[in-house]
Amino acid sequence: MRHRTAGFRRALVALDGTARAERVVPWLRRLVVPGGEIHLLTVLAPARAPVLDGQRHGVDRIESSERLAALAALGTLAGRLRADGVRSTGHVRFGEPVRTILDTAGDVDVDVIALTTGEHRRWWWPSRDGVVECVLRRSRLPVLIAREDGQGGA
């Protein structure tokens, strides 16, 4: 992979809904060029709803409620970024975290993916390697990783 000397124009931050996961944002903010854009992504587990007569009932209502809560949290962070002069957009998607992060990165055409290491919600650990390790291995884009303790990453 070629090393970049200039900043990134579009970035994706994968967040698990914890404040700890947001620790990568200040590091990434420094690497986004003026006029750049940061996309904030929260991936949620698909709703589990009771199955009656072969159909899942209440899935839309459950997912809608979860989506609204996640969007509210992303809106707060996006507002702080906008106040700092950075365009930002929040995305909430349901699915397997690694695939969803990589698919979203392609969908919104970003230059870099950013994540935070450390303990994440159980949903974010689909394999023994964890989401961060899997994204790092599978991504064709640069991946910025901030350590849980707030220090810079790889």
Side-chain angles (χ1 to χ4, degrees):
M1 177 179 295
R2 293 182 301 175
H3 294 286
R4 297 176 62 103
T5 55
F8 299 105
R9 63 179 179 80
R10 294 173 66 108
L12 176 70
V13 180
L15 303 163
D16 69 355
T18 64
R20 177 179 48 250
E22 294 180 16
R23 290 185 179 167
V24 73
V25 174
W27 293 96
L28 181 61
R29 171 62 190 96
R30 295 179 189 133
L31 298 173
V32 172
V33 298
E37 184 174 10
I38 295 178
H39 290 265
L40 307 168
L41 170 67
T42 296
V43 181
L44 300 173
R48 297 179 190 267
V51 177
L52 302 171
D53 300 326
Q55 294 186 1
R56 293 171 55 197
H57 293 272
V59 171
D60 291 340
R61 188 176 25 216
I62 293 168
E63 287 186 351
S64 183
S65 173
E66 290 176 350
R67 181 184 306 275
L68 287 174
L71 281 172
L74 291 177
T76 300
L77 180 55
R80 290 195 317 253
L81 287 167
R82 283 191 293 271
D84 195 29
V86 179
R87 292 183 308 159
S88 59
T89 304
H91 306 270
V92 176
R93 296 200 175 167
F94 292 86
E96 188 276 319
V98 174
R99 178 176 294 141
T100 305
I101 291 166
L102 296 174
D103 287 350
T104 303
D107 292 348
V108 297
D109 191 29
V110 297
D111 305 314
V112 63
I113 299 170
L115 306 110
T116 300
T117 64
E119 293 184 25
H120 293 277
R121 290 185 177 181
R122 183 173 174 83
W123 171 243
W124 275 62
W125 292 96
S127 71
R128 73 174 209 279
D129 292 332
V131 170
V132 174
E133 180 67 27
C134 290
V135 169
L136 186 59
R137 259 189 282 127
R138 296 180 192 172
S139 178
R140 295 181 186 267
L141 298 169
V143 179
L144 173 68
I145 302 170
R147 295 189 332 213
E148 179 182 14
D149 61 10
Q151 299 298 312

mmCIF file of all heavy atoms in Angstrom, residues 14 16 18 20-24 114-120 124-125 129 131-133 136 143-154:
data_model
loop_
_atom_site.group_PDB
_atom_site.id
_atom_site.type_symbol
_atom_site.label_atom_id
_atom_site.label_comp_id
_atom_site.label_asym_id
_atom_site.label_seq_id
_atom_site.Cartn_x
_atom_site.Cartn_y
_atom_site.Cartn_z
ATOM 1 N N ALA A 14 -16.110 4.013 12.481
ATOM 2 C CA ALA A 14 -17.007 2.945 12.929
ATOM 3 C C ALA A 14 -17.112 3.021 14.449
ATOM 4 O O ALA A 14 -16.110 2.944 15.149
ATOM 5 C CB ALA A 14 -16.472 1.593 12.485
ATOM 6 N N ASP A 16 -19.232 1.782 18.069
ATOM 7 C CA ASP A 16 -20.065 0.710 18.618
ATOM 8 C C ASP A 16 -21.103 1.225 19.612
ATOM 9 O O ASP A 16 -21.759 0.451 20.279
ATOM 10 C CB ASP A 16 -19.202 -0.375 19.259
ATOM 11 C CG ASP A 16 -18.519 0.076 20.532
ATOM 12 O OD1 ASP A 16 -18.623 1.267 20.886
ATOM 13 O OD2 ASP A 16 -17.876 -0.766 21.184
ATOM 14 N N THR A 18 -20.377 3.197 22.233
ATOM 15 C CA THR A 18 -19.764 3.536 23.511
ATOM 16 C C THR A 18 -18.961 4.822 23.360
ATOM 17 O O THR A 18 -18.463 5.137 22.274
ATOM 18 C CB THR A 18 -18.828 2.418 24.009
ATOM 19 O OG1 THR A 18 -17.740 2.284 23.093
ATOM 20 C CG2 THR A 18 -19.562 1.088 24.150
ATOM 21 N N ARG A 20 -16.093 5.308 24.574
ATOM 22 C CA ARG A 20 -14.710 4.877 24.338
ATOM 23 C C ARG A 20 -14.413 4.802 22.831
ATOM 24 O O ARG A 20 -13.331 5.149 22.396
ATOM 25 C CB ARG A 20 -14.492 3.521 25.004
ATOM 26 C CG ARG A 20 -13.154 2.912 24.796
ATOM 27 C CD ARG A 20 -12.984 1.564 25.503
ATOM 28 N NE ARG A 20 -14.084 0.649 25.280
ATOM 29 C CZ ARG A 20 -14.981 0.297 26.218
ATOM 30 N NH1 ARG A 20 -14.917 0.782 27.425
ATOM 31 N NH2 ARG A 20 -15.945 -0.556 25.936
ATOM 32 N N ALA A 21 -15.373 4.375 22.054
ATOM 33 C CA ALA A 21 -15.165 4.225 20.614
ATOM 34 C C ALA A 21 -14.934 5.569 19.928
ATOM 35 O O ALA A 21 -14.306 5.631 18.873
ATOM 36 C CB ALA A 21 -16.356 3.511 19.983
ATOM 37 N N GLU A 22 -15.406 6.650 20.534
ATOM 38 C CA GLU A 22 -15.249 7.985 19.948
ATOM 39 C C GLU A 22 -13.839 8.536 20.087
ATOM 40 O O GLU A 22 -13.521 9.578 19.522
ATOM 41 C CB GLU A 22 -16.246 8.955 20.584
ATOM 42 C CG GLU A 22 -17.683 8.632 20.265
ATOM 43 C CD GLU A 22 -18.659 9.599 20.914
ATOM 44 O OE1 GLU A 22 -18.245 10.688 21.357
ATOM 45 O OE2 GLU A 22 -19.850 9.253 20.971
ATOM 46 N N ARG A 23 -12.978 7.850 20.812
ATOM 47 C CA ARG A 23 -11.616 8.353 21.048
ATOM 48 C C ARG A 23 -10.794 8.499 19.771
ATOM 49 O O ARG A 23 -9.802 9.206 19.759
ATOM 50 C CB ARG A 23 -10.886 7.453 22.035
ATOM 51 C CG ARG A 23 -11.458 7.571 23.423
ATOM 52 C CD ARG A 23 -10.677 6.781 24.412
ATOM 53 N NE ARG A 23 -11.289 6.963 25.731
ATOM 54 C CZ ARG A 23 -11.002 6.231 26.760
ATOM 55 N NH1 ARG A 23 -10.112 5.264 26.658
ATOM 56 N NH2 ARG A 23 -11.586 6.452 27.919
ATOM 57 N N VAL A 24 -11.187 7.844 18.709
ATOM 58 C CA VAL A 24 -10.451 7.955 17.456
ATOM 59 C C VAL A 24 -10.780 9.265 16.731
ATOM 60 O O VAL A 24 -10.002 9.736 15.900
ATOM 61 C CB VAL A 24 -10.724 6.735 16.536
ATOM 62 C CG1 VAL A 24 -12.117 6.789 15.942
ATOM 63 C CG2 VAL A 24 -9.668 6.622 15.455
ATOM 64 N N ALA A 114 -11.657 4.480 10.342
ATOM 65 C CA ALA A 114 -11.086 4.692 11.673
ATOM 66 C C ALA A 114 -11.895 3.936 12.717
ATOM 67 O O ALA A 114 -13.125 3.916 12.670
ATOM 68 C CB ALA A 114 -11.065 6.180 12.006
ATOM 69 N N LEU A 115 -11.178 3.294 13.650
ATOM 70 C CA LEU A 115 -11.799 2.534 14.740
ATOM 71 C C LEU A 115 -10.963 2.708 16.003
ATOM 72 O O LEU A 115 -9.828 3.145 15.945
ATOM 73 C CB LEU A 115 -11.839 1.035 14.423
ATOM 74 C CG LEU A 115 -12.477 0.580 13.136
ATOM 75 C CD1 LEU A 115 -11.434 0.061 12.184
ATOM 76 C CD2 LEU A 115 -13.459 -0.513 13.444
ATOM 77 N N THR A 116 -11.532 2.285 17.117
ATOM 78 C CA THR A 116 -10.825 2.284 18.393
ATOM 79 C C THR A 116 -10.692 0.845 18.875
ATOM 80 O O THR A 116 -11.642 0.071 18.790
ATOM 81 C CB THR A 116 -11.593 3.117 19.443
ATOM 82 O OG1 THR A 116 -11.703 4.451 18.969
ATOM 83 C CG2 THR A 116 -10.874 3.118 20.779
ATOM 84 N N THR A 117 -9.508 0.501 19.402
ATOM 85 C CA THR A 117 -9.303 -0.833 19.956
ATOM 86 C C THR A 117 -9.893 -0.902 21.358
ATOM 87 O O THR A 117 -10.350 0.094 21.903
ATOM 88 C CB THR A 117 -7.814 -1.190 20.065
ATOM 89 O OG1 THR A 117 -7.199 -0.298 20.992
ATOM 90 C CG2 THR A 117 -7.132 -1.142 18.732
ATOM 91 N N GLY A 118 -9.836 -2.062 21.940
ATOM 92 C CA GLY A 118 -10.304 -2.238 23.313
ATOM 93 C C GLY A 118 -11.568 -3.056 23.347
ATOM 94 O O GLY A 118 -12.015 -3.609 22.346
ATOM 95 N N GLU A 119 -12.150 -3.139 24.520
ATOM 96 C CA GLU A 119 -13.370 -3.917 24.672
ATOM 97 C C GLU A 119 -14.528 -3.177 24.025
ATOM 98 O O GLU A 119 -14.725 -1.997 24.265
ATOM 99 C CB GLU A 119 -13.673 -4.150 26.140
ATOM 100 C CG GLU A 119 -12.660 -5.051 26.806
ATOM 101 C CD GLU A 119 -13.044 -5.340 28.229
ATOM 102 O OE1 GLU A 119 -14.248 -5.277 28.558
ATOM 103 O OE2 GLU A 119 -12.133 -5.627 29.007
ATOM 104 N N HIS A 120 -15.253 -3.903 23.207
ATOM 105 C CA HIS A 120 -16.433 -3.345 22.554
ATOM 106 C C HIS A 120 -17.647 -4.152 22.981
ATOM 107 O O HIS A 120 -17.529 -5.182 23.629
ATOM 108 C CB HIS A 120 -16.285 -3.418 21.021
ATOM 109 C CG HIS A 120 -15.197 -2.541 20.493
ATOM 110 N ND1 HIS A 120 -15.384 -1.208 20.260
ATOM 111 C CD2 HIS A 120 -13.908 -2.800 20.176
ATOM 112 C CE1 HIS A 120 -14.258 -0.688 19.813
ATOM 113 N NE2 HIS A 120 -13.347 -1.637 19.750
ATOM 114 N N TRP A 124 -19.920 -6.730 18.650
ATOM 115 C CA TRP A 124 -18.814 -6.349 17.792
ATOM 116 C C TRP A 124 -17.704 -7.388 17.769
ATOM 117 O O TRP A 124 -16.637 -7.140 17.250
ATOM 118 C CB TRP A 124 -18.263 -5.004 18.231
ATOM 119 C CG TRP A 124 -19.024 -3.886 17.629
ATOM 120 C CD1 TRP A 124 -20.339 -3.605 17.806
ATOM 121 C CD2 TRP A 124 -18.538 -2.920 16.732
ATOM 122 N NE1 TRP A 124 -20.701 -2.515 17.082
ATOM 123 C CE2 TRP A 124 -19.605 -2.069 16.418
ATOM 124 C CE3 TRP A 124 -17.292 -2.669 16.172
ATOM 125 C CZ2 TRP A 124 -19.456 -1.001 15.549
ATOM 126 C CZ3 TRP A 124 -17.149 -1.599 15.332
ATOM 127 C CH2 TRP A 124 -18.234 -0.779 15.014
ATOM 128 N N TRP A 125 -17.903 -8.550 18.327
ATOM 129 C CA TRP A 125 -16.858 -9.574 18.339
ATOM 130 C C TRP A 125 -17.359 -10.830 17.642
ATOM 131 O O TRP A 125 -17.626 -11.838 18.277
ATOM 132 C CB TRP A 125 -16.436 -9.884 19.781
ATOM 133 C CG TRP A 125 -15.734 -8.715 20.357
ATOM 134 C CD1 TRP A 125 -16.287 -7.746 21.135
ATOM 135 C CD2 TRP A 125 -14.386 -8.333 20.163
ATOM 136 N NE1 TRP A 125 -15.356 -6.788 21.445
ATOM 137 C CE2 TRP A 125 -14.185 -7.129 20.860
ATOM 138 C CE3 TRP A 125 -13.323 -8.889 19.462
ATOM 139 C CZ2 TRP A 125 -12.948 -6.480 20.872
ATOM 140 C CZ3 TRP A 125 -12.093 -8.237 19.497
ATOM 141 C CH2 TRP A 125 -11.924 -7.046 20.191
ATOM 142 N N ASP A 129 -10.891 -12.948 16.604
ATOM 143 C CA ASP A 129 -9.996 -11.848 16.261
ATOM 144 C C ASP A 129 -10.601 -10.482 16.549
ATOM 145 O O ASP A 129 -9.881 -9.514 16.723
ATOM 146 C CB ASP A 129 -9.603 -11.907 14.789
ATOM 147 C CG ASP A 129 -8.728 -13.097 14.479
ATOM 148 O OD1 ASP A 129 -8.011 -13.562 15.385
ATOM 149 O OD2 ASP A 129 -8.765 -13.562 13.333
ATOM 150 N N VAL A 131 -13.542 -7.297 15.633
ATOM 151 C CA VAL A 131 -13.879 -6.456 14.490
ATOM 152 C C VAL A 131 -12.675 -5.653 13.997
ATOM 153 O O VAL A 131 -12.415 -5.591 12.796
ATOM 154 C CB VAL A 131 -15.056 -5.518 14.839
ATOM 155 C CG1 VAL A 131 -15.268 -4.478 13.761
ATOM 156 C CG2 VAL A 131 -16.318 -6.333 15.040
ATOM 157 N N VAL A 132 -11.947 -5.027 14.914
ATOM 158 C CA VAL A 132 -10.824 -4.183 14.500
ATOM 159 C C VAL A 132 -9.812 -4.991 13.690
ATOM 160 O O VAL A 132 -9.386 -4.577 12.605
ATOM 161 C CB VAL A 132 -10.158 -3.515 15.717
ATOM 162 C CG1 VAL A 132 -8.907 -2.761 15.309
ATOM 163 C CG2 VAL A 132 -11.144 -2.571 16.401
ATOM 164 N N GLU A 133 -9.429 -6.145 14.200
ATOM 165 C CA GLU A 133 -8.460 -6.995 13.505
ATOM 166 C C GLU A 133 -8.991 -7.442 12.142
ATOM 167 O O GLU A 133 -8.264 -7.428 11.143
ATOM 168 C CB GLU A 133 -8.112 -8.215 14.360
ATOM 169 C CG GLU A 133 -7.117 -9.140 13.715
ATOM 170 C CD GLU A 133 -5.733 -8.542 13.554
ATOM 171 O OE1 GLU A 133 -5.362 -7.656 14.341
ATOM 172 O OE2 GLU A 133 -5.027 -8.948 12.619
ATOM 173 N N LEU A 136 -8.992 -4.512 9.700
ATOM 174 C CA LEU A 136 -7.605 -4.228 9.325
ATOM 175 C C LEU A 136 -7.106 -5.212 8.268
ATOM 176 O O LEU A 136 -6.467 -4.821 7.292
ATOM 177 C CB LEU A 136 -6.718 -4.288 10.568
ATOM 178 C CG LEU A 136 -5.263 -3.881 10.395
ATOM 179 C CD1 LEU A 136 -5.151 -2.454 9.899
ATOM 180 C CD2 LEU A 136 -4.522 -4.045 11.702
ATOM 181 N N VAL A 143 -6.443 2.006 7.405
ATOM 182 C CA VAL A 143 -7.251 1.899 8.618
ATOM 183 C C VAL A 143 -6.503 2.590 9.745
ATOM 184 O O VAL A 143 -5.363 2.224 10.055
ATOM 185 C CB VAL A 143 -7.540 0.428 8.983
ATOM 186 C CG1 VAL A 143 -8.352 0.341 10.268
ATOM 187 C CG2 VAL A 143 -8.275 -0.281 7.842
ATOM 188 N N LEU A 144 -7.134 3.590 10.331
ATOM 189 C CA LEU A 144 -6.574 4.297 11.478
ATOM 190 C C LEU A 144 -7.149 3.657 12.733
ATOM 191 O O LEU A 144 -8.365 3.551 12.877
ATOM 192 C CB LEU A 144 -6.947 5.782 11.430
ATOM 193 C CG LEU A 144 -6.571 6.603 12.655
ATOM 194 C CD1 LEU A 144 -5.050 6.726 12.760
ATOM 195 C CD2 LEU A 144 -7.218 7.979 12.580
ATOM 196 N N ILE A 145 -6.259 3.231 13.628
ATOM 197 C CA ILE A 145 -6.710 2.586 14.853
ATOM 198 C C ILE A 145 -6.197 3.399 16.035
ATOM 199 O O ILE A 145 -4.979 3.602 16.183
ATOM 200 C CB ILE A 145 -6.171 1.144 14.950
ATOM 201 C CG1 ILE A 145 -6.628 0.338 13.743
ATOM 202 C CG2 ILE A 145 -6.631 0.498 16.255
ATOM 203 C CD1 ILE A 145 -5.966 -1.013 13.623
ATOM 204 N N ALA A 146 -7.123 3.853 16.870
ATOM 205 C CA ALA A 146 -6.748 4.534 18.100
ATOM 206 C C ALA A 146 -6.841 3.524 19.235
ATOM 207 O O ALA A 146 -7.798 2.745 19.295
ATOM 208 C CB ALA A 146 -7.665 5.721 18.370
ATOM 209 N N ARG A 147 -5.853 3.524 20.094
ATOM 210 C CA ARG A 147 -5.878 2.605 21.218
ATOM 211 C C ARG A 147 -6.898 3.066 22.232
ATOM 212 O O ARG A 147 -7.181 4.256 22.378
ATOM 213 C CB ARG A 147 -4.500 2.514 21.860
ATOM 214 C CG ARG A 147 -3.496 1.910 20.916
ATOM 215 C CD ARG A 147 -2.191 1.598 21.543
ATOM 216 N NE ARG A 147 -1.817 2.425 22.687
ATOM 217 C CZ ARG A 147 -0.594 2.759 22.989
ATOM 218 N NH1 ARG A 147 0.400 2.361 22.221
ATOM 219 N NH2 ARG A 147 -0.335 3.494 24.037
ATOM 220 N N GLU A 148 -7.424 2.120 22.970
ATOM 221 C CA GLU A 148 -8.446 2.392 23.982
ATOM 222 C C GLU A 148 -7.968 3.423 25.006
ATOM 223 O O GLU A 148 -8.753 4.221 25.489
ATOM 224 C CB GLU A 148 -8.832 1.101 24.684
ATOM 225 C CG GLU A 148 -9.869 1.296 25.753
ATOM 226 C CD GLU A 148 -10.193 0.009 26.460
ATOM 227 O OE1 GLU A 148 -9.458 -0.978 26.330
ATOM 228 O OE2 GLU A 148 -11.208 0.015 27.157
ATOM 229 N N ASP A 149 -6.670 3.437 25.295
ATOM 230 C CA ASP A 149 -6.155 4.344 26.314
ATOM 231 C C ASP A 149 -6.008 5.774 25.803
ATOM 232 O O ASP A 149 -5.540 6.650 26.512
ATOM 233 C CB ASP A 149 -4.833 3.841 26.872
ATOM 234 C CG ASP A 149 -3.737 3.723 25.824
ATOM 235 O OD1 ASP A 149 -3.931 4.217 24.678
ATOM 236 O OD2 ASP A 149 -2.691 3.152 26.129
ATOM 237 N N GLY A 150 -6.407 6.017 24.537
ATOM 238 C CA GLY A 150 -6.378 7.368 23.997
ATOM 239 C C GLY A 150 -5.107 7.713 23.256
ATOM 240 O O GLY A 150 -4.994 8.787 22.700
ATOM 241 N N GLN A 151 -4.123 6.831 23.259
ATOM 242 C CA GLN A 151 -2.880 7.080 22.538
ATOM 243 C C GLN A 151 -3.106 6.824 21.054
ATOM 244 O O GLN A 151 -4.045 6.158 20.670
ATOM 245 C CB GLN A 151 -1.778 6.150 23.060
ATOM 246 C CG GLN A 151 -1.480 6.357 24.520
ATOM 247 C CD GLN A 151 -0.962 7.749 24.799
ATOM 248 O OE1 GLN A 151 -0.069 8.230 24.124
ATOM 249 N NE2 GLN A 151 -1.554 8.413 25.765
ATOM 250 N N GLY A 152 -2.223 7.320 20.220
ATOM 251 C CA GLY A 152 -2.328 7.117 18.775
ATOM 252 C C GLY A 152 -2.225 5.650 18.424
ATOM 253 O O GLY A 152 -1.768 4.836 19.213
ATOM 254 N N GLY A 153 -2.657 5.313 17.250
ATOM 255 C CA GLY A 153 -2.668 3.922 16.828
ATOM 256 C C GLY A 153 -1.871 3.689 15.570
ATOM 257 O O GLY A 153 -1.034 4.487 15.199
ATOM 258 N N ALA A 154 -2.194 2.587 14.902
ATOM 259 C CA ALA A 154 -1.484 2.190 13.695
ATOM 260 C C ALA A 154 -2.098 2.814 12.464
ATOM 261 O O ALA A 154 -3.236 3.129 12.427
ATOM 262 C CB ALA A 154 -1.528 0.685 13.560
#
